[in-house]
Amino acid sequence: MEAVARNVSNIPTGRTYAGFALAWICVIFVVYLLCIAVFAAGHWITSLLIVLLTAYALARHAMWIGKRARRGLVRRR
């Protein structure tokens, strides 16, 4: 039988999850500052829309990493 080739570069690792956490901490901080400025300018609907779009992007990114892990692309030790 022929061995199935695995894409090793696509496997989520601890580094993947740490990068995810650090990236989103920075994004949320910047969005927080942006929303304070936009809300102070009187555009609370725009500020709410920014928060909702950020939450959607966070959820999509988390689901993308989760799908990679569920497909069996997890390293075995």
Side-chain angles (χ1 to χ4, degrees), residues 9-26 58-75 77:
S9 66
N10 200 24
I11 297 172
T13 61
R15 210 169 161 191
T16 303
Y17 298 117
F20 171 82
L22 289 174
W24 281 101
I25 286 171
C26 293
L58 173 70
R60 291 285 298 184
H61 191 193
M63 286 188 290
W64 178 70
I65 291 174
K67 282 181 185 178
R68 284 173 50 195
R70 273 195 306 271
R71 279 190 226 141
L73 298 175
V74 178
R75 289 187 189 192
R77 293 193 180 239

Side-chain angles (χ1 to χ4, degrees), residues 37-49:
V38 172
F39 185 73
H43 303 287
W44 64 274
I45 293 175
T46 305
S47 183
L48 180 63
L49 184 62

